[in-house]
């Protein structure tokens, strides 16, 4: 449990944001143990209470963003991986609950935003498709694999390149874990094919970049 009690702090420390003394209504970043005024981190009193209850503690704005504004997805994935490495779904659920509090929104793109660069056609798959399908619409294109081919492919389709692969993986992992009960009880559950041996294992593997590698 993260320790937010003022009485247990050794001394009055300056807020990592405004540099004034942090003597009241403060939160501690669990990564580097810096203290901040709750308002300097722009979190509500209720959110502070929730962070207080979460075993993993709070993550400050500078630790979870690239420039104080843009969310650092690689760091987000690293936090999820740390929880997933325990192989316990309950631990990953706790990490996902914390990430959800950061309120990072998935930004879909419109067709107008997508500029498709020249793509590499997978000639072998094309040959197979021509052999087994009566009608083949479009060319199969190559994406980078290494356990990320699904997200790279979706990024390529949505954004025209693979640059949003990590972002997609992060948001999909959050959704899979957060709504695991509804997915596991879905009426078409038997027709949903998991990439890993079970739904729980798929969540765990999704939390690790490259986690769906068959190598
Ligand atoms: Zn402050
Ligand atoms: Zn921090």
């Amino acid at each position: 449990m993260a320790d937010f009690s003022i009485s247990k702090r050794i001394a009055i420390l300056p807020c990592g944001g405004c540099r004034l003394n942090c003597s009241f209504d403060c939160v501690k970043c669990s990564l580097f143990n810096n203290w901040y005024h709750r308002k300097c981190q722009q979190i509500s009193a209720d959110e502070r209470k929730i962070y207080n209850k979460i075993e993993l503690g709070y993550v400050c704005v500078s630790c979870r963003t690239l420039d104080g504004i843009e969310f650092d997805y690689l760091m987000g994935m690293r936090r999820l991986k740390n929880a997933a490495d325990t192989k316990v779904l309950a631990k990953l659920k706790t990490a996902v609950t914390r990430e959800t509090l950061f309120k990072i929104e998935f930004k879909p793109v419109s067709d107008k935003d997508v500029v498709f660069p020249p793509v590499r056609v997978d000639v072998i798959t094309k040959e197979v498709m021509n052999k087994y399908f009566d009608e083949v619409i479009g060319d199969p294109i190559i994406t980078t694999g290494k356990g990320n081919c699904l997200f790279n492919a979706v990024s390529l389709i949505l954004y025209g390149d693979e640059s949003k692969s990590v972002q997609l993986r992060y948001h999909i992992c959050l959704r899979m874990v957060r709504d695991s009960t509804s997915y596991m009880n879905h009426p078409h559950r038997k027709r949903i094919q998991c990439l890993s041996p079970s739904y729980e294992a798929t969540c765990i593997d999704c939390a690790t970049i490259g986690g769906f590698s068959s190598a």
Side-chain angles (χ1 to χ4, degrees), residues 25-121:
D25 203 11
C26 298
V27 289
K28 185 174 80 170
C29 174
S30 58
L31 299 189
F32 291 102
N33 293 329
N34 289 330
W35 285 85
Y36 296 89
H37 293 113
R38 175 178 65 73
K39 287 182 180 171
C40 286
Q41 288 289 294
Q42 297 183 324
I43 58 174
S44 69
D46 285 344
E47 285 169 337
R48 180 184 176 278
K49 282 181 197 159
I50 298 170
Y51 284 122
N52 202 0
K53 286 181 190 155
I54 292 178
E55 186 187 352
L56 293 167
Y58 179 65
V59 178
C60 75
V61 173
S62 65
C63 284
R64 65 176 196 258
T65 60
L66 293 168
D67 51 7
I69 298 168
E70 194 183 342
F71 187 69
D72 186 342
Y73 279 101
L74 277 175
M75 286 302 289
M77 284 306 305
R78 197 174 293 177
R79 290 190 296 272
L80 292 175
K81 181 184 182 302
N82 284 342
D85 280 349
T86 64
K87 305 289 180 200
V88 179
L89 189 61
K91 294 273 183 197
L92 182 56
K93 276 185 177 172
T94 306
V96 165
T97 301
R98 179 172 70 173
E99 296 298 318
T100 304
L101 288 168
F102 301 149
K103 301 189 198 92
I104 307 305
E105 287 181 19
F106 177 68
K107 296 187 192 105
V109 288
S110 69
D111 288 347
K112 285 178 192 162
D113 296 322
V114 179
V115 179
F116 284 96
V119 290
R120 287 181 299 153
V121 174

Side-chain angles (χ1 to χ4, degrees), residues 29 37 51 99 115 117-118 133 147 169 176-177 188 212:
C29 174
H37 293 113
Y51 284 122
E99 296 298 318
V115 179
F133 294 104
R169 187 172 205 128
M176 282 179 68
V177 174
H188 301 306
F212 289 134

